[in-house]
């Protein structure tokens, strides 16, 4: 239970410290005194909304801190949760805090350790049940009636078991439907996939070849110009121009002059060495140019082959993906799908057997779940009528209507009986019925209850659920 609560700079509350004891605690006060704000703070503390608008005017941040005594009924799941998250400090109490900042960020801590808001909500679900204004309107949503009955019946473990099997069944049925559809389309699909995979595989694409081919095409298409430029450069190096000697001859003259200079002034020897290095570099450039000039290929046939190869790559990319890697991936996927189609019949038989086993298993759990609900329905009705008598509705009658719906594709709960429709919550459909006044017949709550009657009915249900629940606050 909540034993201590400290609030700082939250809404209109500057500072508040509360020490709470077991039993009923009631806050009274005029409108605007801050009663609802205390509940808002507890909601935020346990993972609810924590917006900057909650921060008191003029303050930089708001903080809420609560000390909870670990309840006996929920002790095991709470301790397990704390141990799994390495948050257990004391097996008797839990310290939870939440801080809200002006920048919109908030921090949550359990026993001094930072935690996610999701974990805070999970932990809070074991500690506090908050019922706010107008929440009784949820009674007008018939889908909530099943949740309320389940809460009273304590079917959480059986329902979790049912839902786990239900998810397996749905997954199996989805795969089955996909395979059956694939089998129906197999002939047409197989021909298409085989053609696509073979077209890509016969091309023998290489991941980096497109760029290499582009460079080769550029050289082949410009072979004459490249050869001319290479010969021009070699001429400048070795032969020179009509009115000027070759660069190598000029550099030779430079070297002779600098060596003479160095003999007279040894301090300039470095210049002569640099000139010799430059001469070696020019010689290497000339060698590379000759090799390059010899490699230049005037080959129109090869240029045509490169163009055709690039065109093939472009067509495959346009059909199967924006890159060679994407085209190759498409081929792999096509082969995998062909493999799946080839083994579809065998896999379908396996999945059909699995589906039957799961349906039988689900029917068994659904039967147990339905029996627990039926047993609890009468108890819930009697308990609610007792509470309504204390709320000035002594003649009111309350009933839980449990129904099932036949469905030839549903679950067969008792072997030879009628198959029943089912969903993620089982085979049962639940609706609360009420006769507010003596002599009236039971009718759906959503159609006949007034606002005041609905509020009192929710109070009665909360009272009854509190007795059934393990949540302490």
């Amino acid at each position: 239970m909540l034993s201590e609560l400290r609030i700082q700079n939250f809404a209109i509350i500057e500072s508040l410290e509360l020490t709470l004891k077991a039993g009923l605690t009631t806050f009274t006060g005029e409108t605007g005194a801050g009663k609802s704000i205390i509940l808002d703070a507890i909601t935020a503390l346990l993972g609810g909304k924590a917006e900057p608008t909650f921060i008191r005017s003029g303050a930089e941040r708001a903080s809420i801190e609560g000390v909870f005594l670990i309840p006996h009924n929920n002790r095991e799941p709470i301790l397990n949760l704390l141990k799994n998250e390495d948050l257990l400090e004391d097996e008797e109490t839990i310290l939870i805090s939440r801080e809200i900042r002006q920048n919109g960020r908030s921090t949550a801590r359990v026993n001094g350790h930072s935690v996610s808001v999701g974990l805070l909500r999970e932990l809070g679900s074991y500690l506090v049940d908050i019922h706010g204004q107008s929440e009784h309107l949820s009674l007008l949503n018939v889908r909530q009636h099943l949740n309320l009955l389940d809460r009273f019946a304590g079917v959480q473990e059986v329902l979790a078991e049912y839902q786990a099997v239900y998810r397996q069944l749905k997954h199996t049925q989805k795969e089955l439907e996909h395979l059956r559809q694939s089998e129906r389309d197999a002939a047409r699909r197989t021909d298409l996939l085989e053609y696509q995979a073979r077209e890509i595989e016969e091309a023998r694409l290489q991941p980096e070849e497109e760029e290499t081919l582009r460079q080769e095409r550029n050289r082949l298409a410009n072979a004459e110009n490249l050869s001319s430029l290479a010969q021009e450069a070699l001429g400048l190096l070795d032969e020179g121009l009509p009115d000027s000697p070759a660069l190598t001859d000029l550099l030779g003259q430079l070297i002779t002059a600098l060596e003479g200079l160095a003999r007279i002034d040894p301090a300039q020897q470095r210049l002569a060495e640099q000139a010799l290095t430059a001469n070696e570099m020019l010689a290497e450039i000339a060698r590379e140019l000759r090799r390059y000039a010899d490699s230049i290929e005037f080959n129109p046939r090869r240029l045509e082959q490169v163009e055709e190869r690039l065109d093939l790559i472009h067509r495959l990319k346009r059909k199967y993906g924006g890159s060679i890697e994407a085209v190759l991936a498409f081929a792999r996927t096509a082969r995998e799908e062909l493999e799946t189609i080839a083994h579809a019949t065998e896999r379908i038989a396996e999945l059909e057997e699995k589906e039957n086993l799961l349906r039988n298993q689900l029917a068994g759990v659904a039967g147990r779940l339905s029996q627990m609900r039926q047993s609890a329905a009468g108890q819930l009705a009697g308990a609610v009528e007792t509470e309504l008598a204390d709320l000035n509705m002594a003649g009111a009658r309350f009933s839980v209507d449990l129904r099932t719906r036949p469905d030839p594709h549903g679950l067969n709960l008792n072997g030879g009986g009628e198959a029943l429709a089912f969903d993620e919550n089982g085979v049962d459909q639940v609706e609360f019925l009420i006769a507010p006044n003596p002599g009236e017949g039971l009718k759906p709550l959503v159609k006949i209850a007034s606002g005041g009657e609905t509020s009192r009915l929710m109070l009665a249900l909360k009272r009854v659920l509190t007795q059934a629940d393990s949540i302490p606050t």
Side-chain angles (χ1 to χ4, degrees):
M1 59 166 275
L2 177 61
S3 62
E4 296 178 34
L5 181 66
R6 289 181 281 277
I7 304 173
Q8 298 286 330
N9 296 321
F10 188 88
I12 63 171
I13 298 175
E14 181 178 6
S15 179
L16 176 66
E17 293 191 16
L18 291 173
T19 301
L20 303 166
K21 297 180 180 180
L24 175 64
T25 301
T26 304
F27 295 96
T28 66
E30 62 188 20
T31 299
K35 305 182 297 297
S36 297
I37 291 172
I38 294 175
L39 285 181
D40 289 339
I42 296 173
T43 300
L45 179 64
L46 297 174
K49 285 196 303 183
E51 299 175 348
T53 52
F54 284 136
I55 300 174
R56 189 170 184 266
S57 178
E60 288 296 318
R61 61 188 66 191
S63 63
I64 312 112
E65 188 175 273
V67 177
F68 295 84
L69 303 180
I70 297 178
H72 176 73
N73 290 345
N74 271 341
R75 187 175 187 80
E76 186 176 350
I78 290 175
L79 292 180
N80 287 339
L81 178 61
L82 294 175
K83 287 175 183 175
N84 291 339
E85 300 293 334
D86 199 21
L87 299 172
L88 185 62
E89 299 288 339
D90 179 355
E91 295 196 358
E92 301 302 324
T93 61
I94 306 170
L95 175 63
I96 301 177
S97 62
R98 188 94 185 265
E99 187 176 86
I100 310 166
R101 300 189 183 94
Q102 285 285 7
N103 60 9
R105 299 185 62 185
S106 70
T107 56
R109 290 185 174 83
V110 174
N111 291 332
H113 301 276
S114 293
V115 299
S116 67
V117 174
L119 179 66
L120 206 58
R121 290 196 196 102
E122 184 178 359
L123 182 60
S125 68
Y126 292 112
L127 297 171
V128 177
D129 179 30
I130 296 178
H131 179 76
Q133 295 183 57
S134 301
E135 196 176 326
H136 65 272
L137 296 176
S138 64
L139 269 184
L140 302 182
N141 183 352
V142 175
R143 286 177 293 183
Q144 289 296 323
H145 296 181
L146 178 62
N147 295 333
L148 291 167
L149 175 61
D150 282 352
R151 190 168 148 188
F152 178 80
V155 300
Q156 286 75 13
E157 289 186 9
V158 179
L159 181 59
E161 179 186 353
Y162 173 89
Q163 290 174 338
V165 179
Y166 178 84
R167 286 191 293 271
Q168 290 183 58
L169 176 62
K170 287 299 174 184
H171 179 78
T172 301
Q173 290 175 332
K174 184 177 180 180
E175 187 179 352
L176 253 177
E177 178 55 32
H178 175 73
L179 285 174
R180 285 169 177 157
Q181 183 63 41
S182 297
E183 193 176 45
R184 288 191 289 270
D185 299 338
R188 178 184 57 80
R189 185 69 177 157
T190 298
D191 290 344
L192 175 62
L193 289 170
E194 185 63 45
Y195 169 80
Q196 291 172 330
R198 189 170 58 251
E199 182 181 30
I200 296 170
E201 290 162 356
E202 288 177 352
R204 300 184 182 281
L205 299 176
Q206 299 299 322
E208 305 297 331
E209 74 167 306
E210 187 174 15
E211 182 58 32
T212 303
L213 287 168
R214 283 199 181 112
Q215 293 176 7
E216 184 181 0
R217 179 181 64 182
N218 188 50
R219 289 194 299 273
L220 289 167
N222 294 280
E224 186 176 349
N225 193 30
L226 291 172
S227 179
S228 175
L229 290 170
Q231 293 301 329
E232 181 183 349
L234 282 169
L236 289 170
L237 283 169
D238 293 338
E239 299 172 6
L241 298 173
D243 56 348
S244 65
L247 286 175
T248 51
D249 293 340
L250 290 171
L251 188 56
Q253 295 173 22
L254 176 63
I255 290 170
T256 301
L258 289 175
E259 285 176 339
L261 181 68
R263 281 193 296 272
I264 299 170
D265 184 359
Q268 304 305 315
Q269 181 63 36
R270 184 173 60 84
L271 290 175
E273 292 172 354
Q274 288 177 336
L276 286 169
T277 300
N279 188 49
E280 292 173 0
M281 289 177 63
L282 275 180
E284 179 61 27
I285 289 172
R287 284 192 294 272
E288 287 290 331
L289 268 173
R290 288 189 188 94
R291 282 196 292 269
Y292 178 73
D294 291 341
S295 72
I296 294 173
E297 186 179 11
F298 296 88
N299 191 339
R301 175 59 185 156
R302 177 56 187 164
L303 177 59
E304 183 181 347
Q305 291 172 346
V306 171
E307 293 281 10
E308 288 174 355
R309 181 68 176 173
L310 284 170
D311 182 61
L312 171 63
I313 292 172
H314 177 70
R315 282 188 286 107
L316 291 174
K317 283 168 54 179
R318 190 174 65 247
K319 290 171 70 174
Y320 303 117
S323 66
I324 289 179
E325 289 78 4
V327 174
L328 293 172
F330 187 97
R332 287 194 297 272
T333 302
R335 284 296 175 198
E336 289 169 2
E337 189 172 345
L338 282 168
E339 189 73 12
T340 300
I341 292 173
H343 295 88
T345 303
E346 179 182 338
R347 180 59 178 159
I348 285 173
E350 291 176 5
L351 289 173
E352 285 175 342
E353 183 178 356
K354 183 178 179 181
E355 182 188 22
N356 288 332
L357 289 173
L358 287 171
R359 289 177 71 90
N360 291 335
Q361 184 181 351
L362 194 65
V365 184
R368 297 203 328 262
L369 187 61
S370 189
Q371 288 174 3
M372 293 175 71
R373 287 167 173 163
Q374 290 169 6
S375 175
Q379 298 173 33
L380 176 62
V384 168
E385 286 181 356
T386 300
E387 297 298 330
L388 289 176
D390 282 341
L391 295 170
N392 202 27
M393 292 179 67
R397 291 170 56 218
F398 180 81
S399 176
V400 180
D401 182 29
L402 267 168
R403 299 183 306 280
T404 56
R405 181 170 57 84
D407 183 345
H409 303 292
L411 294 178
N412 197 315
L413 269 56
N414 50 16
E418 189 176 37
L420 302 176
F422 67 101
D423 58 19
E424 69 272 15
N425 293 311
V427 298
D428 301 301
Q429 295 178 317
V430 173
E431 184 171 10
F432 293 160
L433 307 178
I434 189 170
N437 302 302
E440 289 188 63
L442 288 164
K443 293 179 182 178
L445 165 70
V446 297
K447 294 183 178 178
I448 66 167
S450 67
E453 289 166 344
T454 308
S455 296
R456 281 180 279 177
L457 182 55
M458 178 57 95
L459 178 57
L461 279 166
K462 282 286 181 179
R463 165 73 174 152
V464 171
L465 292 173
T466 297
Q467 293 171 315
D469 264 349
S470 53
I471 300 174
T473 302

